Amino acid sequence: MTALAPIPKDAAAIILVRPETDPANPEVFWVKRSTKLAFLGGFYAFPGGQRETSDADTRVENGADQEQAAMISCAARELFEETGVLLARGSQTLTIGQRASLLDDLESKRMTWPELLNLYGLHLDANDFTFAGRWVTPPFAPRRFDTWFFLVTCPAKQSPKITEDSELESGEWIRARAAYAKWERSEIIVVPPVLHLLKALAGGLSDDLVERFLSVPEARRVPTRRIEFHPHYICFPVRTPTKPPATHTNSYLIHTSSEVLVLDPGSPYEDEQNALANCIDDLIAAGKTVREIVLTHVHPDHVAGVNALNDHLEEKQGARVPVAAHAATAESLRNQVRIDRFIADDEVLVLGGEPAIKLRALHTPGHARGHLCFFDERTGALISGDNIVGFGSVLIDPPEGNMREYLASLERMRSLPNLSVLFGGHGPAIANPYEKIDEYISHRLQREELILTAVREGASTPKEIVARVYTDVSPKAHATAERAVLAHLEKLEADGLVARTSDGTYQAHGIK
Ligand SMILES: [Zn+2]
């Protein structure tokens, strides 16, 4: 059942520094990814993208080796495509019109990037690109990249402007310190390398800047474990035997100056339990106390590490910490995990210390009967558990799963004011929460419509319906799809649109 994490693809990005900027607090060009994007939509980032085959053919002077040269080509090409800034030597003599037609030729793929540079007598020079680290996306994401970052000063007579059909919503010059402060105020979502780079840049363009860029092992391809999409929320993915294609479950450590809440320590594997415990120990070493372990729902990939963590905390803090969950979750876990406290719908968990973090519990059944989400009204962050995930799909498997309740839970999540981010049980944070919830709702309703049509056309069992409706799903996944169809049929039955006959088959009922 265990899936393999996606293989990282080569990518490159450019930290463009404004010419003549104040070296003590430099201005850099950052972009916002379109909220329509399925992957990292709404995140702030540096311009960049994936390597293309032709990047290996680009003429790069003074490159250390072929690989570095190709990645410089990739970075420069992506920057040009996304912002129109051309970093090639010799480009200062091009007219604006020539640059525009070069861009047009590149985007329409009339010629490749190396061919175009040759045609205009241009080349890249590695001395213009300062290596700023190489980061690998951790194995919890649906797409992974091995990204080279380069620091480059923008050529004096050019100014970046987001090109029309790029995947970017906007772009602007911003002081590194102001950008970092936006993250500190939970106003933006960034991936770990961008956060690290902004923090380093906020320290100024000093002689030791590159050293500071490279000062963490993550800048040398060690995948990040502790991910801070928002401050005070550490996302710590742990490897679990979860539902493929996901390979990890997100544990969250929500912390103030004095307290830590641990959410979903779900790994049954000792090495992963130790990694999480080490991260918690760092918070304890900083003077914080673990106050409670909280569970979003009953599934093994969310609870399997609770007892091991409590054994560890007993040793470390001298006492076990209470475990809290919804009463329905507690009932199902009776012989596996002791639940010390029940969390009811609408209850507010208040953490001591700074900042004042208050989490409103929302009983949101559907994926599981006792499923809880937690809403931070201060920042608009919603811990969405397995109701919305950043990787894979959500299975509604009766009787624990209930499609009618699930859709009602999604509607309830949709109605929350000022949602800024969803922290799901799997995969990266979701920075376009309303778009994502809408997508989930409409996906389910479309499926329901197809299933109802299939029943009206005579399909009467989940197996027959899957054969008609799930034509995009491999036969291996048919057993799972039948569970999902059953959930839809139960909803349609409750809605009065289909009826279950005495032999357990389904028929259409009346006209909608
Ligand atoms: Zn689950």
Side-chain angles (χ1 to χ4, degrees):
M1 273 298 274
T2 47
L4 289 175
I7 307 279
K9 298 202 167 91
D10 284 337
I14 285 190
I15 309 150
L16 197 63
V17 178
R18 194 167 200 169
E20 320 270 328
T21 192
D22 172 10
N25 185 13
E27 275 181 275
V28 293
F29 191 76
W30 75 351
V31 296
K32 185 180 184 191
R33 291 171 57 80
S34 164
T35 52
K36 293 186 183 70
L37 294 173
F39 182 68
L40 305 186
F43 274 61
Y44 280 78
F46 293 117
Q50 228 172 293
R51 177 176 169 169
E52 288 180 0
T53 320
S54 69
D55 284 319
D57 305 327
T58 303
R59 187 178 146 212
V60 181
E61 299 281 316
N62 300 311
D65 53 53
Q66 285 182 348
E67 192 187 16
Q68 189 223 40
M71 295 321 294
I72 284 175
S73 164
C74 168
R77 177 181 49 71
E78 288 287 341
L79 181 78
F80 184 50
E81 286 176 346
E82 292 182 340
T83 72
V85 169
L86 184 55
L87 296 172
R89 293 273 177 113
S91 63
Q92 58 277 15
T93 59
L94 297 185
T95 63
I96 290 174
Q98 282 174 311
R99 269 214 309 269
S101 90
L102 204 160
L103 183 58
D104 189 51
D105 285 343
L106 182 64
E107 285 183 333
S108 60
K109 300 202 188 319
R110 270 190 286 277
M111 290 174 89
T112 66
W113 172 234
E115 284 167 353
L116 280 164
L117 292 175
N118 281 340
L119 181 71
Y120 285 85
L122 312 172
H123 71 273
L124 304 178
D125 192 312
N127 291 330
D128 298 335
F129 299 76
T130 304
F131 179 66
R134 198 173 156 186
W135 291 66
V136 176
T137 316
F140 80 132
R143 291 212 230 157
R144 299 178 65 206
F145 298 99
D146 180 345
T147 309
W148 298 56
F149 288 90
F150 296 100
L151 183 76
V152 174
T153 304
C154 186
K157 287 186 183 136
Q158 299 191 49
S159 52
K161 201 169 149 278
I162 297 304
T163 50
E164 266 178 25
D165 46 27
S166 77
E167 297 185 325
L168 307 174
E169 191 172 290
S170 58
E172 59 176 349
W173 290 112
I174 185 165
R175 300 241 175 236
R177 234 173 270 163
Y180 187 68
K182 277 179 181 285
W183 174 81
E184 284 182 307
R185 292 194 300 268
S186 308
E187 290 171 9
I188 57 152
I189 311 285
V190 290
V191 293
V194 174
L195 178 63
H196 173 75
L197 292 162
L198 286 175
K199 194 174 177 183
L201 287 158
L205 301 176
S206 57
D207 291 342
D208 67 347
L209 178 61
V210 172
E211 212 175 292
R212 286 186 284 122
F213 279 152
L214 305 179
S215 65
V216 294
E218 289 87 342
R220 296 184 300 274
R221 307 184 71 214
V222 175
T224 319
R225 296 261 14 196
R226 180 187 153 133
I227 304 166
E228 293 172 272
F229 295 112
H230 258 188
H232 307 288
Y233 283 78
I234 298 171
C235 172
F236 197 97
V238 287
R239 194 165 41 83
T240 55
T242 184
K243 187 166 84 72
T247 56
H248 287 64
T249 298
N250 293 334
S251 303
Y252 289 95
L253 308 174
I254 304 158
H255 60 104
T256 64
S257 55
S258 62
E259 290 192 330
V260 184
L261 209 66
V262 181
L263 198 109
D264 287 358
S267 184
Y269 308 126
E270 206 182 319
D271 56 337
E272 292 294 287
Q273 292 171 347
N274 290 339
L276 178 66
N278 285 340
C279 184
I280 294 170
D281 286 354
D282 289 344
L283 297 173
I284 294 173
K288 307 176 193 211
T289 313
V290 180
R291 165 210 170 106
E292 202 165 49
I293 297 171
V294 173
L295 305 177
T296 58
H297 67 292
V298 64
H299 289 149
D301 58 323
H302 292 258
V303 309
V306 172
N307 293 336
L309 178 61
N310 238 337
D311 290 345
H312 173 82
L313 290 173
E314 185 169 24
E315 222 168 273
K316 186 89 192 170
Q317 301 191 136
R320 299 175 86 79
V321 301
V323 182
H326 190 271
T329 302
E331 191 196 312
S332 307
L333 288 176
R334 221 170 13 215
N335 300 316
Q336 303 162 54
V337 180
R338 196 181 86 199
I339 305 296
D340 304 279
R341 193 174 78 81
F342 297 159
I343 299 176
D345 182 41
D346 232 22
E347 182 179 327
V348 179
L349 282 63
V350 183
L351 272 76
E354 292 292 319
I357 296 182
K358 291 185 190 147
L359 297 169
R360 181 175 298 279
L362 307 172
H363 180 217
T364 41
H367 173 68
R369 276 177 297 171
H371 193 284
L372 293 171
C373 292
F374 296 93
F375 184 48
D376 181 338
E377 284 164 14
R378 180 186 57 110
T379 62
L382 177 67
I383 293 173
S384 56
D386 268 4
N387 273 6
I388 303 254
V389 294
F391 189 9
S393 58
V394 175
L395 177 63
I396 308 303
D397 187 358
E400 186 69 44
N402 181 306
M403 190 62 72
R404 216 170 187 221
E405 290 180 347
Y406 181 58
L407 279 162
S409 290
L410 291 179
E411 291 290 354
R412 184 170 178 204
M413 293 159 76
R414 178 75 177 76
S415 72
L416 292 169
N418 314 317
L419 271 185
S420 61
V421 61
L422 303 177
F423 291 126
H426 307 275
I430 295 158
N432 48 351
Y434 293 110
E435 284 89 344
K436 188 60 82 177
I437 299 174
D438 283 345
E439 182 190 312
Y440 267 56
I441 293 173
S442 63
H443 170 74
R444 296 293 175 172
L445 293 179
Q446 276 166 20
R447 270 279 143 92
E448 178 179 300
E449 199 58 47
L450 292 171
I451 288 167
L452 183 58
T453 304
V455 175
R456 283 177 175 159
E457 288 171 3
S460 66
T461 64
K463 199 180 173 70
E464 287 171 18
I465 295 168
V466 165
R468 288 192 195 207
V469 174
Y470 286 67
T471 47
D472 54 336
V473 166
S474 93
K476 265 200 245 162
H478 277 188
T480 308
E482 285 175 31
R483 303 303 301 165
V485 166
L486 181 62
H488 278 291
L489 288 169
E490 287 183 359
K491 175 176 181 292
L492 288 167
E493 192 185 355
D495 291 347
L497 292 168
V498 305
R500 210 162 89 100
T501 60
S502 53
D503 61 357
T505 60
Y506 290 84
Q507 300 182 335
H509 201 296
I511 298 297
K512 203 177 180 179

PDB file of all heavy atoms in Angstrom, residues 297 299 302 367 386, ligand 1:
ATOM      1  N   HIS A 297      -8.934  13.489  13.930  1.00  0.00           N
ATOM      2  CA  HIS A 297      -9.884  12.384  13.734  1.00  0.00           C
ATOM      3  C   HIS A 297      -9.222  11.049  13.991  1.00  0.00           C
ATOM      4  O   HIS A 297      -8.046  10.966  14.290  1.00  0.00           O
ATOM      5  CB  HIS A 297     -10.552  12.458  12.360  1.00  0.00           C
ATOM      6  CG  HIS A 297      -9.635  12.223  11.201  1.00  0.00           C
ATOM      7  ND1 HIS A 297      -8.629  13.097  10.839  1.00  0.00           N
ATOM      8  CD2 HIS A 297      -9.580  11.195  10.310  1.00  0.00           C
ATOM      9  CE1 HIS A 297      -8.012  12.635   9.773  1.00  0.00           C
ATOM     10  NE2 HIS A 297      -8.559  11.476   9.440  1.00  0.00           N
ATOM     11  N   HIS A 299      -8.445   8.267  12.245  1.00  0.00           N
ATOM     12  CA  HIS A 299      -7.679   7.388  11.362  1.00  0.00           C
ATOM     13  C   HIS A 299      -6.253   7.138  11.860  1.00  0.00           C
ATOM     14  O   HIS A 299      -5.607   8.049  12.373  1.00  0.00           O
ATOM     15  CB  HIS A 299      -7.695   7.939   9.934  1.00  0.00           C
ATOM     16  CG  HIS A 299      -9.042   7.801   9.296  1.00  0.00           C
ATOM     17  ND1 HIS A 299      -9.534   8.687   8.362  1.00  0.00           N
ATOM     18  CD2 HIS A 299     -10.012   6.872   9.490  1.00  0.00           C
ATOM     19  CE1 HIS A 299     -10.751   8.303   7.994  1.00  0.00           C
ATOM     20  NE2 HIS A 299     -11.063   7.217   8.667  1.00  0.00           N
ATOM     21  N   HIS A 302      -3.217   9.354  11.690  1.00  0.00           N
ATOM     22  CA  HIS A 302      -3.253  10.610  12.452  1.00  0.00           C
ATOM     23  C   HIS A 302      -3.042  10.400  13.952  1.00  0.00           C
ATOM     24  O   HIS A 302      -2.850  11.363  14.683  1.00  0.00           O
ATOM     25  CB  HIS A 302      -4.583  11.348  12.204  1.00  0.00           C
ATOM     26  CG  HIS A 302      -4.696  11.846  10.798  1.00  0.00           C
ATOM     27  ND1 HIS A 302      -4.477  13.156  10.450  1.00  0.00           N
ATOM     28  CD2 HIS A 302      -4.924  11.180   9.637  1.00  0.00           C
ATOM     29  CE1 HIS A 302      -4.594  13.288   9.139  1.00  0.00           C
ATOM     30  NE2 HIS A 302      -4.861  12.106   8.622  1.00  0.00           N
ATOM     31  N   HIS A 367     -15.710  12.911   6.613  1.00  0.00           N
ATOM     32  CA  HIS A 367     -14.592  11.995   6.370  1.00  0.00           C
ATOM     33  C   HIS A 367     -14.517  11.001   7.532  1.00  0.00           C
ATOM     34  O   HIS A 367     -14.235   9.826   7.344  1.00  0.00           O
ATOM     35  CB  HIS A 367     -13.304  12.801   6.234  1.00  0.00           C
ATOM     36  CG  HIS A 367     -12.065  11.958   6.156  1.00  0.00           C
ATOM     37  ND1 HIS A 367     -11.790  11.142   5.085  1.00  0.00           N
ATOM     38  CD2 HIS A 367     -11.034  11.784   7.026  1.00  0.00           C
ATOM     39  CE1 HIS A 367     -10.646  10.511   5.292  1.00  0.00           C
ATOM     40  NE2 HIS A 367     -10.169  10.876   6.463  1.00  0.00           N
ATOM     41  N   ASP A 386      -8.356  16.124   7.533  1.00  0.00           N
ATOM     42  CA  ASP A 386      -8.486  15.393   6.270  1.00  0.00           C
ATOM     43  C   ASP A 386      -9.719  15.827   5.488  1.00  0.00           C
ATOM     44  O   ASP A 386     -10.082  15.180   4.512  1.00  0.00           O
ATOM     45  CB  ASP A 386      -8.546  13.883   6.531  1.00  0.00           C
ATOM     46  CG  ASP A 386      -7.161  13.259   6.487  1.00  0.00           C
ATOM     47  OD1 ASP A 386      -6.177  14.006   6.336  1.00  0.00           O
ATOM     48  OD2 ASP A 386      -7.058  12.019   6.596  1.00  0.00           O
TER      49      ASP A 386
HETATM   50 ZN    ZN B   1      -8.250  10.415   7.559  1.00  0.00          ZN
END
